[in-house]
Amino acid sequence: MSGTSENIPEELHVLAGEYVLGALEASEMRAVRRQAIIDPTLAAAIANWERRLAPLAATVPPLPPPDALWSRIEATIGPVADESAPAPAAAALPVRRFPAILPDEAPPARPPRQAWLPEAMPPPPPRRVWPWQAATVLSLALAAGVAALVLVPGLAFRANLPGLAERFAPQVAALMPADTPTPGFLAEARPDGTVLLTALAPVAVPAGKDLELWILPPGGTAPRSLGLLPARGRQVTLQAMPAAGTALMVSLEPPGGSPTGAPTGPVVYAGKLGQMRL
Amino acid sequence: MGEAVAGEDLADLIPRIAAGDRAAFRRVYDRHAPRLYAVAIRITRQASLASDAVHDAFLQLWRNAGRFDLERGNPEAWLISLVRYRALDIARRRTREVSDEDLPEPIDEDPDPLQRLAASRDAAALHACLGALEAERRKLLALAFIDGLSHSEVAERLKLPLGTVKSWIRRSLQSLRLCLEGAA
């Protein structure tokens, strides 16, 4: 007896089955996916159906994909990763519309080299607007039809008992728009390294674009991709809970994500993790 | 999905991909892309959209391989799911009016996959349990899973009332689950 399903209500089994089958309409699919992010029982029911039904996919006779597909995938994942290597020649890169991402500390006299910044980019201005070049972000985002969000900094409260604080208190960041008090996503980082991003309001993604999630540790200069971010949010598992002050940001990218491993589109949501204030 | 070769099945390749091993990534592509592409074509009904779905799924595989839990998850099911959800999202996003125009070749429209279920143990259980359903109900499940049709699209295709389709799918899922769990 498998036992995996015993505690799952029948309703949830059916809903998960309909979801995995592909029988749900688009809005229902989105709702289930959003719910599964915060509901482990539903997520388990979905995983069960994925496993049960997978052999059905093997009944479809294989079809050779177009020859160009592999090259396209290879181009998207970018050159062999070597973080210490200099950035590839700018000529090989698409035009960057992405405003520089900077840590929110006082700009050092000589800014650290940003590995992901192409060399042809004009040198950064000596004094930058914290934390992102808000006006640029806003205009790009408005052009793209997406509400620009800038960070509401949480207080980086690290108590004298950091172990205790981390064990019991999740860190949260609300990724807020500049013009209204409605947050786009709530990010919650838990002590086990789980980061849960939940869309708090419907997020409109322009057609032909994907949202990509990035993480930038305090003091870091190059954001690291955490993969695509569905409009309703998703769960990410990191090796450990990110430190307070870690920035999370969301950029608009071509379908499938940034082809370069660094943000190429405007940052449309951003926030910084800080201790939840109760 | 494929036949396992020692050291070459997904469970072995995924940790290597997580470590950035491009040869392992390529191996998974070579072995699985034709099946995944076929699955995506059935759902998106358009070669370019199927390519997009497979592209995005492999990108997710490359980026998220380290997050896949081999202890708990089934890697074949995971890979298929990556492609299917992408394909379903793409298919749901556009109108189906334009479908069927640019299919690369005629596809097998046989909606009863029963005789095609391979001989693996999982497939055998699914085969047996699907076989216990009426052929008509089995067809509903196949139209949804393989062709990616939603409740309303299934109803339209089979000229059945939407409520009937919903309740048949619902009951089929319930029977299928009980049967599969009994077999486990």
Side-chain angles (χ1 to χ4, degrees):
Chain A
M1 216 48 200
S2 95
T4 50
S5 303
E6 280 162 13
N7 300 320
I8 303 179
E10 185 62 34
E11 274 308 306
L12 223 49
H13 279 304
V14 170
L15 184 65
E18 290 173 328
Y19 171 74
V20 175
L21 265 188
L24 298 180
E25 313 296 336
S27 60
E28 298 167 321
M29 272 180 70
R30 281 194 297 274
V32 168
R33 208 169 285 173
R34 195 159 42 224
Q35 184 62 25
I37 292 172
I38 54 173
D39 183 345
T41 315
L42 177 59
I46 288 174
N48 284 340
W49 277 114
E50 288 174 353
R51 185 178 36 76
R52 291 182 194 123
L53 295 177
L56 265 181
T59 65
V60 180
L63 206 58
D67 291 341
L69 183 54
W70 170 253
S71 335
R72 190 178 148 205
I73 291 168
E74 216 176 13
T76 305
I77 66 174
V80 175
D82 179 358
E83 294 193 347
S84 63
L93 293 171
V95 177
R96 289 188 186 279
R97 298 181 296 118
F98 180 65
I101 294 175
L102 297 166
D104 67 339
E105 290 147 11
R110 193 159 164 269
R113 195 176 70 77
Q114 288 154 5
W116 52 274
L117 206 62
E119 281 149 19
M121 194 95 162
R127 169 129 183 86
R128 297 151 179 143
V129 180
W130 175 88
W132 289 280
Q133 293 166 321
T136 315
V137 173
L138 188 60
S139 62
L140 288 168
L142 290 178
V146 173
L149 299 195
V150 297
L151 149 81
V152 171
L155 281 188
F157 170 78
R158 303 207 98 191
N160 294 331
L161 298 167
L164 200 63
E166 283 174 12
R167 190 165 329 136
F168 293 108
Q171 302 207 42
V172 296
L175 283 62
M176 305 280 283
D179 48 353
T180 83
T182 317
F185 291 93
L186 176 71
E188 181 185 346
R190 294 176 179 161
D192 64 358
T194 304
V195 179
L196 204 59
L197 282 126
T198 311
L200 297 176
V203 170
V205 182
K209 295 282 178 189
D210 272 337
L211 297 177
E212 186 160 2
L213 179 65
W214 305 86
I215 188 168
L216 183 68
T221 53
R224 183 165 66 87
S225 174
L226 296 178
L228 297 183
L229 178 66
R232 52 256 158 216
R234 63 174 261 232
Q235 180 173 318
V236 181
T237 307
L238 305 174
Q239 295 194 331
M241 178 154 81
T246 297
L248 293 171
M249 51 217 131
V250 180
S251 65
L252 262 190
E253 298 291 347
S258 162
T260 67
T264 63
V267 166
V268 287
Y269 304 93
K272 201 160 284 198
L273 290 168
Q275 200 85 34
M276 190 151 45
R277 297 168 75 192
L278 300 174
Chain B
M1 235 160 88
E3 313 70 31
V5 177
E8 289 288 300
D9 58 38
L10 269 181
D12 299 312
L13 292 168
I14 284 177
R16 288 170 55 193
I17 293 171
D21 181 341
R22 284 172 181 246
F25 187 54
R26 176 68 204 240
R27 190 88 69 200
V28 171
Y29 181 85
D30 288 343
R31 284 175 52 99
H32 295 274
R35 181 77 69 194
L36 298 174
Y37 181 68
V39 165
I41 281 252
R42 283 296 284 262
I43 294 174
T44 63
R45 299 269 152 171
Q46 201 172 312
S48 61
L49 298 179
S51 288
D52 288 349
V54 175
H55 168 272
D56 293 355
F58 271 89
L59 192 58
Q60 288 180 305
L61 168 66
W62 176 251
R63 291 184 173 168
N64 298 333
R67 282 173 225 149
F68 180 71
D69 185 350
L70 284 165
E71 299 288 311
R72 288 194 295 178
N74 172 309
E76 276 82 13
W78 182 55
L79 196 51
I80 288 167
S81 298
L82 287 181
V83 169
R84 287 190 68 251
Y85 294 139
R86 268 318 274 164
L88 286 168
D89 286 345
I90 289 170
R92 293 282 191 274
R93 214 179 289 155
R94 83 200 163 107
T95 57
R96 283 186 174 257
E97 269 70 71
V98 293
S99 65
D100 295 336
E101 61 184 343
D102 115 25
L103 280 177
E105 55 189 74
I107 53 171
D108 168 24
E109 292 287 357
D110 178 4
D112 191 343
L114 202 54
Q115 68 272 29
R116 287 186 187 274
L117 272 178
S120 74
R121 191 195 303 171
D122 283 352
L126 186 59
H127 184 281
C129 293
L130 280 173
L133 299 175
E134 288 168 39
E136 190 69 9
R137 314 251 165 134
R138 198 158 61 228
K139 192 162 141 190
L140 295 191
L141 295 186
L143 278 173
F145 188 86
I146 293 174
D147 294 294
L149 300 189
S150 67
H151 282 130
S152 59
E153 290 165 333
V154 171
E156 200 176 314
R157 174 82 68 96
L158 298 183
K159 309 273 184 282
L160 288 170
L162 180 58
T164 305
V165 168
K166 283 189 176 177
S167 84
W168 279 8
I169 286 184
R170 177 187 183 83
R171 272 182 270 152
S172 300
L173 284 169
Q174 288 171 326
S175 319
L176 197 55
R177 182 178 70 80
L178 292 174
C179 175
L180 287 169
E181 291 192 350

